Amino acid sequence: MVTKLGSLGSSFSRMNEDDMERDSTLMNLDEEIGKESLAGYTPDCGRRREYNKDGKKVEGTKFLSYKKARSVIAQRHVGKLVDTTNDGARDTLVPFPLNAPTGAHNFSENGLCYRAFKKCFGTCMRQKPSVLEPYGIGLVLYFKFLKFMTVIFLLMSLALAPSMYFYWVGSSMTKEDQALMIEESFLNALFFTTIGSLGAGASTCMEGDVSEMFDLKCPSGVFKKIEAHWGQPNGYCSCPASQQTNDQGTCPGQITYPSDGVDGGTCSGGACFLSTTKLKESCCAKTRFDPMNGDFTPDLTNVDISTNPTCHSPSAQFIAEGMCLGRQNCTFPVSVNHTYTWTYDPVLRPYKCDEDWDPAVEDHTCSRNLMHENYLNYANFSSCPRDTHQDDYQLIVIGLCAEEDFDFEFNGEEYTYSKKDIIKILSYTDSGCAFLFLMAIYWMAKREEEATDESDSLNCSPSDYAVIVSNLPNHQSLDSLKLCLKTHFEKNFEGKQE
């Protein structure tokens, strides 16, 4: 019995060895077939030993490879395929290095710029092919656009650096105010590199009754604009005490709203609608302009300075401009009979003192009084007759001040230039940059169009064989339309060659 069991065990052992040898042969055959079906990648899952009696693969055998899957996925993304396992398979995606060539718009070889600079900058003007070309012309042009605009804006920034320096140094704000704004937010520093930093100028206002005198002074700079009113003008140089804000910056009155809230509310206990005068001073209004029609703007008509149409004379405007423009201060004795004199300046005031006055022959001194006869035809004193109300007349003068010169220090020396001349030069610079920018955009558009046409000529697509037919005739069915089109093309294009 023992002998029989030993013989049986030996038989099983030989059978297992035969099966293992056959399985190994089938496995090797499986890998070879898998590599062939997976383009050289060794299958690592999904193998099936489905063979016939002759050891050939039957239909339905499927092979899967993780490395091939990674390679296929990587090829559908932007990056560089590398071999990290040293098995010859580039299946790992890594980003392109920063110095990878992404292409740039080449200067046309027939263009003036290329012919002029090719000897010195030939290597820079001719770019290497882009590593992004396998991903389509759209991605290539996008990165070329980014590179081109980076260079353009860098050049424009360098060209505009003098403008930004001028706006920074010539700011209308004091150094202390600049430092305070920058301390609040560093982004505020950008404001001082713009033309808005120069400011609109500081306004100053003075008013005086008959027999009084006042001086109109610029805190800095000189007068660039003057507005004067004589007679009984409306408004005040400063907000009346009854309409001024309190220490908390709020109005003294309270807003009372009706039940329907349509009219925007009314004031109780004083002015209650906070606003700003034309001279940029906070002031409270007692009413709104037209709340019934939706205009809820606070009404400061009684505060803002304006001409009284029935009690005014334009003589004050003429006199104030002659005495103040281009100067830092001017003095006004308010009197009906006082004669104001000033020197004629053809630059600041190009019009003459009189129509028949010749500054080339006569003295350059002009003289006028507030009730000069030359302006009586343009005056209106219907509500304040001159013979009974002259003591009630008032003179109000508003001046806009601005710095005339630009001072800066360089290498230990201080230089002074006219702001007007500098702004003129900067205006030409800005205009030149804008023109060059438009020309650069035009040039880039032409290069993109050429690149698109070249890409289209090298690639075949269904659209190359498509025919667009517009203005199709009226038809009852598609079959009849097909027959009509077929007959038309056969009749007109049969036998014709390009």
Side-chain angles (χ1 to χ4, degrees):
M1 178 65 69
V2 174
T3 303
K4 291 184 178 180
L5 289 175
S7 301
L8 184 60
S10 299
S11 299
F12 274 112
S13 176
R14 287 193 299 272
M15 290 178 61
N16 289 336
E17 291 177 358
D18 293 341
D19 290 342
M20 291 176 64
E21 182 179 357
R22 182 176 180 278
D23 288 347
S24 175
T25 302
L26 292 176
M27 290 282 286
N28 293 333
L29 179 63
D30 194 62
E31 289 187 0
E32 292 177 3
I33 297 175
K35 284 185 177 181
E36 180 181 353
S37 63
L38 294 175
Y41 288 91
T42 302
D44 49 18
C45 64
R47 293 177 292 178
R48 302 177 185 172
R49 289 176 291 167
E50 299 176 1
Y51 303 94
N52 55 21
K53 295 181 179 180
D54 299 329
K56 294 184 178 181
K57 178 174 70 72
V58 298
E59 294 295 332
T61 301
K62 183 177 182 181
F63 303 97
L64 298 177
S65 171
Y66 177 69
K67 284 191 174 182
K68 183 179 181 181
R70 288 186 57 186
S71 177
V72 172
I73 293 174
Q75 292 175 10
R76 302 180 188 276
H77 293 76
V78 178
K80 183 179 181 181
L81 293 175
V82 296
D83 179 14
T84 57
T85 57
N86 298 321
D87 59 356
R90 296 188 300 170
D91 53 5
T92 302
L93 184 70
V94 296
F96 286 118
L98 292 177
N99 61 348
T102 56
H105 292 293
N106 293 327
F107 287 91
S108 174
E109 295 184 1
N110 298 323
L112 177 62
C113 293
Y114 182 81
R115 287 181 293 173
F117 299 107
K118 66 179 180 179
K119 292 184 178 180
C120 300
F121 306 101
T123 57
C124 298
M125 298 172 69
R126 303 300 299 179
Q127 299 292 322
K128 296 180 180 180
S130 173
V131 295
L132 303 174
E133 289 184 356
Y135 304 99
I137 187 64
L139 194 59
V140 173
L141 292 180
Y142 173 71
F143 277 87
K144 286 184 177 182
F145 168 80
L146 293 180
K147 184 182 293 185
F148 180 78
M149 296 307 295
T150 300
V151 174
I152 290 298
F153 281 115
L154 175 61
L155 296 177
M156 291 179 64
S157 299
L158 295 176
L160 296 176
S163 299
M164 294 186 288
Y165 174 77
F166 168 73
Y167 297 142
W168 183 286
V169 178
S171 175
S172 60
M173 301 184 65
T174 63
K175 299 298 181 182
E176 293 75 13
D177 292 338
Q178 287 186 12
L180 182 61
M181 288 189 62
I182 296 175
E183 185 179 351
E184 292 178 355
S185 174
F186 182 76
L187 295 178
N188 289 335
L190 297 177
F191 164 76
F192 297 109
T193 63
T194 67
I195 193 172
S197 175
L198 298 179
S203 296
T204 179
C205 177
M206 292 297 292
E207 54 187 310
D209 298 329
V210 174
S211 301
E212 295 181 349
M213 179 184 294
F214 62 82
D215 291 331
L216 192 68
K217 297 181 180 180
C218 271
S220 63
V222 295
F223 289 109
K224 290 296 184 181
K225 185 178 179 181
I226 290 292
E227 178 184 344
H229 303 271
W230 165 246
Q232 293 181 351
N234 302 316
Y236 309 92
C237 282
S238 60
C239 183
S242 61
Q243 295 179 240
Q244 293 180 3
T245 58
N246 53 32
D247 295 338
Q248 288 74 34
T250 59
C251 294
Q254 299 293 327
I255 304 177
T256 303
Y257 292 99
S259 58
D260 55 6
V262 175
D263 65 356
T266 57
C267 291
S268 60
C272 62
F273 302 111
L274 183 61
S275 186
T276 305
T277 67
K278 292 181 179 179
L279 298 178
K280 309 303 180 184
E281 181 185 8
S282 297
C283 194
C284 300
K286 298 179 180 179
T287 58
R288 300 182 187 271
F289 268 106
D290 192 4
M292 300 305 296
N293 292 321
D295 188 356
F296 298 100
T297 306
D299 185 4
L300 289 176
T301 305
N302 68 310
V303 179
D304 289 328
I305 298 172
S306 62
T307 298
N308 184 344
T310 60
C311 186
H312 77 97
S313 173
S315 59
Q317 182 69 27
F318 187 87
I319 293 172
E321 288 182 352
M323 295 185 61
C324 298
L325 287 179
R327 297 176 175 85
Q328 191 171 9
N329 67 290
C330 43
T331 303
F332 291 91
V334 185
S335 174
V336 176
N337 300 319
H338 180 78
T339 299
Y340 301 90
T341 60
W342 65 92
T343 302
Y344 169 75
D345 190 334
V347 177
L348 296 175
R349 304 181 73 255
Y351 42 91
K352 304 176 182 179
C353 294
D354 290 319
E355 294 181 359
D356 57 350
W357 182 75
D358 187 2
V361 179
E362 302 181 34
D363 184 34
H364 280 219
T365 301
C366 299
S367 60
R368 287 290 185 274
N369 62 54
L370 293 172
M371 302 301 292
H372 197 277
E373 59 183 6
N374 286 11
Y375 303 100
L376 295 181
N377 294 332
Y378 307 99
N380 188 333
F381 294 99
S382 58
S383 65
C384 55
R386 288 177 292 163
D387 55 347
T388 59
H389 288 76
Q390 288 189 1
D391 292 340
D392 298 334
Y393 290 170
Q394 186 183 41
L395 177 64
I396 300 179
V397 183
I398 306 171
L400 181 64
C401 306
E403 293 285 351
E404 198 170 35
D405 296 325
F406 170 64
D407 302 325
F408 72 98
E409 186 176 342
F410 179 74
N411 198 21
E413 297 185 12
E414 189 170 326
Y415 300 88
T416 301
Y417 293 96
S418 171
K419 273 192 175 182
K420 183 178 180 180
D421 295 338
I422 294 179
I423 290 178
K424 184 183 297 185
I425 296 174
L426 297 182
S427 299
Y428 291 146
T429 304
D430 294 346
S431 301
C433 287
F435 175 76
L436 293 178
F437 177 75
L438 294 177
M439 293 301 297
I441 295 298
Y442 172 78
W443 181 87
M444 182 185 66
K446 296 290 290 183
R447 299 287 83 78
E448 289 184 348
E449 183 179 356
E450 293 175 0
T452 303
D453 293 340
E454 181 181 0
S455 175
D456 184 63
S457 64
L458 298 176
N459 293 277
C460 183
S461 63
S463 62
D464 295 331
Y465 300 92
V467 178
I468 299 177
V469 181
S470 58
N471 302 321
L472 293 176
N474 296 329
H475 56 280
Q476 299 296 329
S477 65
L478 291 178
D479 293 336
S480 62
L481 179 62
K482 285 182 180 180
L483 179 61
C484 180
L485 293 176
K486 180 180 179 182
T487 304
H488 173 77
F489 284 117
E490 289 177 349
K491 178 180 178 182
N492 291 278
F493 299 101
E494 185 176 3
K496 294 184 179 181
Q497 296 181 356
E498 294 185 357

